[in-house]
Amino acid sequence: MRTINTVEITEAVKEMCMEVNIRLSEDVKQAVLAARKQEESPLGRQILGQLEENMEIAAETKIPICQDTGMTVVFLRIGQDVHFEGEYIEDAVNEGIRRGYEEGYLRKSVVKDPVERVNTKDNTPGVIHYEIVPGDQVEITVAPKGFGSENMSRLYMLKPADGIEGIREAILETVKLAGPNACPPIVVGVGIGGTFEKCAILAKKALTRNLNSSSKIPYVKELEDEMLEEINKLGIGPGGLGGRVTALGVNVETYPTHIAGMPVAINICCHVNRHIRRNI
């Protein structure tokens, strides 16, 4: 049994919130740079050049890459041999978010009630997903999600008979409906299987996967490659102003499901696909 004081969790989450809003992960950064070389539209190349310049300015001046610093999503993979001492773990995570957004001068975008709309003024609470895994470590993934692209995401309860073709149609329909509103070039996270809520979490988690990785399941890898190609044929382009590069990547995650259903969730993220991971 390993004991971890939740002060460590708070400090890690604070630092991660500030870092992830200033610097994109290397895989996303390289995908944006590569997109500029691939783009055939002069206007599209100009927009991608502006995105590149924006990334450089954000890193140099330590200001957010995007003014929408998101609602903070946190994935915690907790080893079953870990014992926490100190604050309740959820309070510790939210304290880290609070400090990160206050000390980092990041925009506070969370309202306490979805109808009454009163701002909490510290970007808490975050959305926290817990997973118990073997071992004595805690893996923390912080992924702030802006709502320009979040609002363009969709969930489908397909029939098993819809098959892989139904999944393809759902993905393409979602991207077409999003158009310029999701601030392309986008990253597309897809969750297939499980239940209504499980596929949505899978889609969110898919956005945190390295863009240079592929699924180890052959048909899923084929779907990822095919969907990236098809999305980039839509002509939406950078900034939604036309061009070849509409998406930087498509990541698909799957889970077992019921014989009577095939849930599919598509979670879209703009090029500011923020995710950072740390082990304690």
Side-chain angles (χ1 to χ4, degrees):
M1 184 67 68
R2 178 181 172 218
T3 299
I4 296 175
N5 194 300
T6 54
V7 169
E8 291 186 58
I9 304 294
T10 295
E11 189 64 22
V13 170
K14 181 194 82 171
E15 293 171 357
M16 293 165 79
C17 283
M18 291 191 286
E19 175 68 19
V20 77
N21 275 294
I22 293 170
R23 294 181 180 85
L24 291 180
S25 59
E26 193 61 27
D27 61 315
V28 178
K29 180 181 177 181
Q30 291 305 318
V32 174
L33 298 181
R36 190 178 181 187
K37 296 176 182 178
Q38 298 166 10
E39 183 53 66
E40 297 169 355
S41 160
L43 181 56
R45 284 197 302 273
Q46 180 182 345
I47 292 168
L48 290 166
Q50 290 172 347
L51 298 183
E52 182 180 341
E53 183 181 5
N54 181 64
M55 286 192 294
E56 293 171 356
I57 292 171
E60 289 171 6
T61 60
K62 296 185 179 180
I63 60 175
I65 303 167
C66 177
Q67 50 83 25
D68 183 354
T69 52
M71 187 168 191
T72 310
V73 179
V74 180
F75 291 94
L76 288 180
R77 286 168 50 87
I78 302 169
Q80 66 179 5
D81 296 325
V82 168
H83 167 69
F84 288 120
E85 67 176 13
E87 296 287 334
Y88 171 48
I89 184 65
E90 192 146 324
D91 291 342
V93 171
N94 279 316
E95 181 61 20
I97 295 170
R98 179 180 296 107
R99 292 184 189 177
Y101 276 74
E102 289 178 348
E103 294 178 26
Y105 300 100
L106 306 173
R107 196 183 84 181
K108 289 80 174 175
S109 303
V110 175
V111 295
K112 187 175 182 179
D113 183 274
V115 175
E116 295 179 345
R117 315 298 293 182
V118 177
N119 199 296
T120 63
K121 299 183 179 179
D122 58 12
N123 221 58
T124 67
V127 176
I128 308 170
H129 301 289
Y130 299 92
E131 185 179 355
I132 305 299
V133 297
D136 63 357
Q137 301 234 324
V138 177
E139 180 188 272
I140 308 170
T141 301
V142 172
K145 190 66 167 65
F147 263 63
S149 57
E150 187 77 351
N151 286 337
M152 297 296 105
S153 304
R154 294 168 69 89
L155 191 150
Y156 297 78
M157 299 303 290
L158 300 181
K159 301 179 183 68
D162 291 326
I164 195 74
E165 187 55 39
I167 295 170
R168 292 190 190 101
E169 290 177 5
I171 296 169
L172 287 175
E173 180 181 58
T174 300
V175 175
K176 288 176 184 176
L177 289 171
N181 297 321
C183 300
I186 59 176
V187 179
V188 183
V190 181
I192 305 171
T195 53
F196 179 85
E197 81 284 359
K198 179 65 175 180
C199 70
I201 295 172
L202 288 173
K204 179 74 70 186
K205 198 170 184 179
L207 290 175
T208 71
R209 205 180 84 202
N210 192 300
L211 287 179
N212 297 319
S213 67
S214 297
S215 174
K216 295 178 181 179
I217 304 171
Y219 87 85
V220 176
K221 181 185 184 303
E222 184 178 336
L223 179 65
E224 291 174 338
D225 294 341
E226 180 187 353
M227 286 295 94
L228 180 59
E229 183 178 347
E230 291 300 314
I231 288 169
N232 284 333
K233 288 179 181 177
L234 295 175
I236 296 169
L241 297 173
R244 179 181 178 184
V245 183
T246 297
L248 302 174
V250 178
N251 287 349
V252 179
E253 298 292 331
T254 65
Y255 194 82
T257 192
H258 191 278
I259 57 172
M262 189 163 64
V264 178
I266 299 98
N267 196 197
I268 294 181
C269 191
C270 63
H271 86 280
V272 186
N273 183 22
R274 293 163 289 200
H275 52 86
I276 186 171
R277 190 168 285 117
R278 185 181 292 188
N279 282 327
I280 292 178

